[in-house]
Amino acid sequence: MTDLTPPTGAGPLGRREARLAWGLLAPTLIAVSLVVLLPLLAVFWISVKPVGLADLRPPTPIVREDIRGDLEAEGDEAVLRYRLRNSSQDQTITDVVLSDAWPDGLLPGALDPRCTIADARLSCDFGDWEGGTRDEIRIPVTATAAYLSGPGAEASDPVLSGDASNILTNFDFTLENFTQIFDGGEFWAVFGITLFYTVFGTLGALIMGLFAAMLLNKSFRGQGILRGLYLFPYVAPVIAVAFAWILLFDPFSGSANALLLQMGVSSEAINFFGERPLALIMVTLFEIWRYFPLSFLFILARMQSIDTDMYEAADMDGASPFQKFRYLSLPQLLGILSVLFLLRFIWTFNKFDDIFLLTGGNAGTRVLTVNVYEQAFALSNIGAGAAVAVVIFCCLLLFSVFFFKLISREEGL
Amino acid sequence: MKAVRFGYVTAPVLGALWCFVIAVTVAVAMSFATGAPFRPTLLALPWGAVLGVAALFGRTVFSAAALAVALLGVLGLGPMASDAVGIIALAIGHGAVATFTALGLGKMTGELRMGALTRHEFEEAVIRFLTGFGYIFFTAIVVIPFYVMVMTSLKNQSALMANPLDFSLDLSRGWHLFDSYFELMTQYNFGSYLWTSFYISVLTVLITLAFAIPGAYAVARLRFRGQAMFSRSILLIYMVPMIVLALPIYIAFSMTGLRNTIFGIVMIYPVTTIPVALYMLQGYFRGLPSEVEEAGLMDGLSRLAVIWKITLPLSLPALASVSLYVFMIAWNEFLLAFMLLDDPSKFTLTRGIASLNSSEIPRQHLMAGSVIATVPIMLLFLGLERFMTKGLTAGSVKG
């Protein structure tokens, strides 16, 4: 009796298809892992290392060579001098060796015991250097006829080699970065600010987007122009619009303040981006202003794909406009609204440029992402910056779990 | 709720609110246009209410009421107050308040009458009010920052300090209006920044497409183990914040000497855009009928030939929108350019603008730089807006 079970595993065709698929994906995979996954691993690595901005240049031995005296005629005497130092003030360099070509016909006087001359090369062995070590080698020399016709002593660059342990690649680990960022109330203040900014920025942009989409969800003359116009905040370079906002709300020469004063709303100039609760509200408003177009675009697209039959049926049944919105449009839009909410939530959480440009994280607007920059570059503590980045990444993982749960339900991906 | 649904309540309430909205709008617009002090007053509420009621009594009464409000305005008792303003501005301002209030109210109260209203009529009027308010509100918030940006770039610092509201242009200056643009181009090297930004963006688009098209096709069409996981992880990667990556990239680039090179920037930009391009394209590829491709396969084309000869020509609109989107991201990118470029001869536009932000450089230069960066992307976008809208929505989130 022949075996009638269906074939298991992939057939040759299937295997070929899979091979092709991986071949097509390979460039992307390689590029993405080089620039995304590798840096991510690096962030985790750096976050447990005591790295400062200055440590990015590993300690190196440095040498300067000069000749004291003139070697212009036969028998002239001079001193060949090498000045050496450790570039780092606190790190040790081991096995420091100086090596330089020794010019033809130059007669050395008393040689430093650490140095030897062999095969027309000078080499000196210094052993280990503590941080901040300085040293000097002086060799009295006499010129002969052969030297004067050849290249000078300074013609060849001295080579100095040594092994330094690089803080980035050694195996010293510390949890100090994490204890430092979680220490004190500062971290939780930053976290609270981030949450405020993210939640209200996202909700605001979503509601504004919904409102704008409802305005434009009917055809009239000039609809295309208005739609293009309403997308401007999203399309313009963030740096341009951020500076325009700063100028507009400047406490001394800003038009907004002048307007408020003139209309009698406020009696003195308001420092919109410089006062404590106000600055946070302003950056949140900026976020809403800049990203409502995106929500508006998605919501409008969804609205236009809703079947009009339903509305006709509702009209027949005598539904009022608000009832139609509440009981027909809103349920239809719920899917896109929740997807947009999570997407925007994550992106707003990740936002750096906007706040950095508007306030630089001052006046109570320092969110987590700005804190990464602040720790790493302003405080020169790259390790702490990376630790904050790790915290951000963990939050992100948490959000994306929710997101994928939702999106699987929404579009069966 | 029921008490509001009478014509004699709805009409004045809407009228009062609408008149106030218009008074504020016109006051702001007139202030920005002339620099003269215009401000809305609380008198807008009662006059608006009167207008609202008048609208219920037919055209003649309504027009007379609107005219009366305009005259009251000129006399200084209207919805908007102004002092020490020229007669023309006065007439235009108060005329505009009365006209726009009347036009809007006419539309809103079209179906209203004195007595009880049906729920339908009432909500229709409210929706019309909200629609009018929405158009004004959104247009204002979008236009004002850009207006300030352009006008500031055409003025000089001392004039702005003297009256921050006066954006009127001194046309007698002629070409000197554009002085700050000339200075940016000649002294601040903005011509070269513009060119750098342009070719970096174009290169980014080309490289992104070269990577994303085959990848998107594989994810959308070919069956292989891990396909589902793949389409998810693409999105996940897109969500990794740039600042998290910027730190190690900064370190790596400092160590390898790629910092401060255009090559480094061109290497890094496409990788930030590949995931989103791949995601958008695979959404589009999925929507293409696979029968066409299968017919091609049956006729003896290889898979790669199918992609080249069938899939790509069919997806030109999607390619256009993805290119546009990627171009926009690369053009507007700030963080990486800011961190990785220090040498003024290699700046991109955004980095160049950042370098103008100092107290020694006058404000109009900063704004002129912003305008230079904004105008090309706006023009490109307005020209291809249709693609952008379609591509963004069709590709990114299904629905």
Side-chain angles (χ1 to χ4, degrees):
Chain A
M1 201 172 134
T2 46
D3 194 3
L4 281 180
T5 50
T8 51
L13 266 178
R15 275 204 296 275
R16 213 173 71 192
E17 196 169 310
R19 255 204 312 278
L20 179 70
W22 285 112
L24 291 177
L25 279 168
T28 306
L29 277 180
I30 293 168
V32 165
S33 44
L34 270 179
V35 181
V36 177
L37 297 184
L38 212 62
L40 267 184
L41 291 179
V43 163
F44 276 91
W45 177 264
I46 297 166
S47 70
V48 287
K49 301 207 126 274
V51 189
L53 205 52
D55 297 323
L56 291 189
R57 264 178 240 102
T60 41
I62 296 171
V63 59
R64 282 215 186 79
E65 177 185 19
D66 59 2
I67 298 177
R68 318 270 289 178
D70 295 322
L71 294 171
E72 275 161 6
E74 219 178 311
D76 274 359
E77 289 184 357
V79 174
L80 188 59
R81 189 171 67 151
Y82 293 95
R83 282 176 299 166
L84 313 111
R85 68 185 177 89
N86 181 349
S87 73
S88 162
Q89 286 303 312
D90 42 39
Q91 299 202 39
T92 310
I93 305 177
T94 55
D95 296 330
V96 183
V97 175
L98 171 76
S99 155
D100 194 7
W102 190 257
D104 238 10
L106 195 63
L107 292 177
L111 209 54
D112 194 284
R114 294 170 293 184
C115 298
T116 52
I117 298 178
D119 299 337
R121 278 204 88 76
L122 166 79
S123 71
C124 307
D125 189 350
F126 298 96
D128 296 353
W129 272 358
E130 303 272 301
T133 303
R134 286 171 180 278
D135 210 335
E136 198 176 68
I137 297 276
R138 300 170 77 95
I139 307 173
V141 290
T142 317
T144 65
Y147 173 76
L148 294 177
S149 58
E154 283 169 310
S156 67
D157 285 328
V159 181
L160 197 54
S161 64
D163 300 329
S165 107
N166 187 337
I167 189 83
L168 279 174
T169 49
N170 68 10
F171 290 92
D172 287 344
F173 295 110
T174 169
L175 282 176
E176 206 179 291
N177 295 324
F178 286 97
T179 51
Q180 194 184 332
I181 62 163
F182 283 114
D183 217 20
E186 199 201 7
F187 177 82
W188 296 109
V190 168
F191 196 75
I193 288 168
T194 312
L195 275 187
F196 177 91
Y197 175 69
T198 312
V199 170
F200 287 99
T202 310
L203 279 179
L206 219 56
I207 292 167
M208 293 265 284
L210 184 63
F211 190 19
M214 285 194 293
L215 284 181
L216 289 183
N217 188 25
K218 51 184 110 170
S219 45
F220 55 91
R221 224 153 32 114
Q223 189 222 24
I225 296 172
L226 269 190
R227 195 174 53 191
L229 186 73
Y230 288 0
L231 291 176
F232 269 17
Y234 177 66
V235 180
V238 57
I239 186 162
V241 288
F243 282 140
W245 269 59
I246 292 178
L247 221 67
L248 184 59
F249 290 101
D250 190 280
F252 305 110
S253 61
S255 316
N257 264 315
L259 212 55
L260 289 181
L261 284 177
Q262 182 183 313
M263 292 186 175
V265 180
S266 70
S267 53
E268 55 183 21
I270 303 169
N271 190 358
F272 284 99
F273 286 112
E275 280 167 26
R276 218 137 231 285
L278 197 58
L280 182 57
I281 294 170
M282 285 306 290
V283 292
T284 312
L285 284 180
F286 180 81
E287 167 77 17
I288 296 172
W289 177 79
R290 194 162 140 68
Y291 291 99
F292 88 83
L294 198 72
S295 330
F296 143 70
L297 212 57
F298 283 115
I299 296 171
L300 185 62
R302 182 71 186 95
M303 273 181 174
Q304 284 173 345
S305 71
I306 298 179
D307 214 342
T308 49
D309 291 358
M310 274 196 319
Y311 292 106
E312 281 162 22
D315 277 336
M316 296 301 276
D317 291 343
S320 76
F322 280 117
Q323 282 173 324
K324 278 193 285 186
F325 173 71
R326 168 70 188 80
Y327 295 104
L328 289 181
S329 308
L330 216 51
Q332 292 277 323
L333 293 176
L334 213 58
I336 183 82
L337 284 177
S338 46
V339 169
L340 263 179
F341 177 78
L342 264 175
L343 262 180
R344 290 277 354 129
F345 189 87
I346 291 171
W347 281 330
T348 311
F349 192 84
N350 292 344
K351 208 77 224 155
F352 169 81
D353 307 16
D354 308 39
I355 291 187
F356 179 71
L357 285 169
L358 286 174
T359 65
N362 298 320
T365 57
R366 189 188 298 176
V367 292
L368 278 171
T369 47
V370 175
N371 207 19
V372 174
Y373 186 88
E374 195 78 9
Q375 299 279 355
F377 294 99
L379 302 177
S380 302
N381 189 349
I382 292 217
V388 180
V390 167
V391 173
I392 293 180
F393 186 71
C394 293
C395 295
L396 172 83
L397 275 186
L398 199 73
F399 299 146
S400 48
V401 170
F402 283 111
F403 179 75
F404 284 121
K405 274 224 171 92
L406 182 88
I407 205 168
S408 327
R409 219 177 48 217
E410 282 305 321
E411 50 175 279
L413 224 157
Chain B
M1 228 21 213
K2 268 229 147 64
V4 193
R5 289 220 298 266
F6 287 94
Y8 50 80
V9 181
T10 311
V13 167
L14 287 183
L17 290 175
W18 181 248
C19 187
F20 190 68
V21 169
I22 291 291
V24 171
T25 312
V26 172
V28 171
M30 289 302 283
S31 301
F32 273 145
T34 64
F38 284 90
R39 61 176 180 279
T41 62
L42 285 178
L43 282 174
L45 296 174
W47 294 139
V50 170
L51 269 177
V53 175
L56 300 178
F57 289 96
R59 227 155 226 254
T60 343
V61 179
F62 190 39
S63 309
L67 201 64
V69 167
L71 283 176
L72 276 170
V74 176
L75 292 177
L77 293 169
M80 184 175 74
S82 52
D83 29 66
V85 184
I87 187 75
I88 301 172
L90 206 66
I92 293 178
H94 294 289
V97 171
T99 316
F100 288 122
T101 311
L103 281 180
L105 269 179
K107 272 211 180 320
M108 281 170 221
T109 56
E111 288 174 25
L112 300 185
R113 49 209 136 62
M114 274 313 267
L117 302 171
T118 66
R119 184 169 179 174
H120 211 101
E121 288 163 336
F122 168 71
E123 287 183 4
E124 195 62 45
V126 172
I127 283 178
R128 282 187 183 161
F129 167 75
L130 286 177
T131 311
F133 173 72
Y135 285 134
I136 292 177
F137 175 72
F138 280 107
T139 309
I141 60 167
V142 170
V143 167
I144 288 176
F146 290 102
Y147 178 79
V148 168
M149 184 155 86
V150 173
M151 288 306 179
T152 308
S153 75
L154 299 176
K155 294 187 75 91
N156 63 53
Q157 184 127 12
S158 50
L160 277 173
M161 284 300 221
N163 182 0
L165 275 178
D166 187 4
F167 286 108
S168 56
L169 294 178
D170 182 7
L171 289 177
S172 62
R173 283 171 67 211
W175 287 109
H176 288 290
L177 279 177
F178 297 99
D179 271 352
S180 44
Y181 292 89
F182 286 127
E183 274 170 40
L184 279 187
M185 286 295 178
T186 51
Q187 291 165 25
Y188 293 89
N189 226 353
F190 259 61
S192 109
Y193 300 166
L194 201 61
W195 169 240
T196 311
S197 261
F198 176 75
Y199 79 75
I200 285 183
S201 305
V202 169
L203 281 176
T204 306
V205 169
L206 294 179
I207 298 173
T208 304
L209 286 184
F211 279 74
I213 289 173
Y217 187 84
V219 173
R221 274 279 186 274
L222 304 178
R223 270 159 306 187
F224 61 98
R225 211 194 283 251
Q227 188 187 18
M229 188 205 72
F230 217 92
S231 35
R232 279 177 181 207
S233 39
I234 299 166
L235 247 187
L236 188 63
I237 282 170
Y238 189 45
M239 289 173 192
V240 176
M242 207 55 234
I243 184 78
V244 171
L245 301 181
L247 199 59
I249 288 173
Y250 176 85
I251 295 172
F253 274 29
S254 303
M255 287 177 143
T256 52
L258 279 171
R259 207 154 77 83
N260 251 330
T261 59
I262 299 284
F263 179 73
I265 290 283
V266 173
M267 240 173 66
I268 229 70
Y269 276 12
V271 185
T272 61
T273 51
I274 285 173
V276 63
L278 208 157
Y279 192 73
M280 285 165 80
L281 279 177
Q282 61 105 14
Y284 191 86
F285 286 162
R286 266 180 224 275
L288 289 178
S290 60
E291 288 81 1
V292 194
E293 290 173 21
E294 280 156 17
L297 284 175
M298 293 302 275
D299 287 345
L301 287 178
S302 71
R303 270 285 180 188
L304 295 180
V306 164
I307 298 179
W308 184 248
K309 290 196 171 136
I310 297 176
T311 315
L312 283 191
L314 279 178
S315 44
L316 276 182
L319 291 182
S321 62
V322 171
S323 307
L324 187 61
Y325 191 54
V326 170
F327 188 91
M328 188 188 97
I329 294 180
W331 182 272
N332 293 348
E333 208 288 329
F334 165 72
L335 172 60
L336 286 172
F338 182 71
M339 286 177 84
L340 299 178
L341 297 176
D342 290 328
D343 176 359
S345 68
K346 290 172 186 144
F347 279 179
T348 60
L349 259 183
T350 49
R351 181 68 184 88
I353 297 171
S355 72
L356 291 181
N357 183 24
S358 86
S359 50
E360 287 131 48
I361 298 173
R363 294 294 228 0
Q364 67 265 32
H365 284 48
L366 184 63
M367 285 297 106
S370 302
V371 172
I372 292 176
T374 309
V375 166
I377 192 77
M378 291 282 187
L379 288 182
L380 195 68
F381 174 78
L382 277 184
L384 301 170
E385 185 252 340
R386 219 158 29 90
F387 289 119
M388 175 91 179
T389 319
K390 284 243 164 60
L392 259 181
T393 48
S396 308
V397 179
K398 216 176 92 188

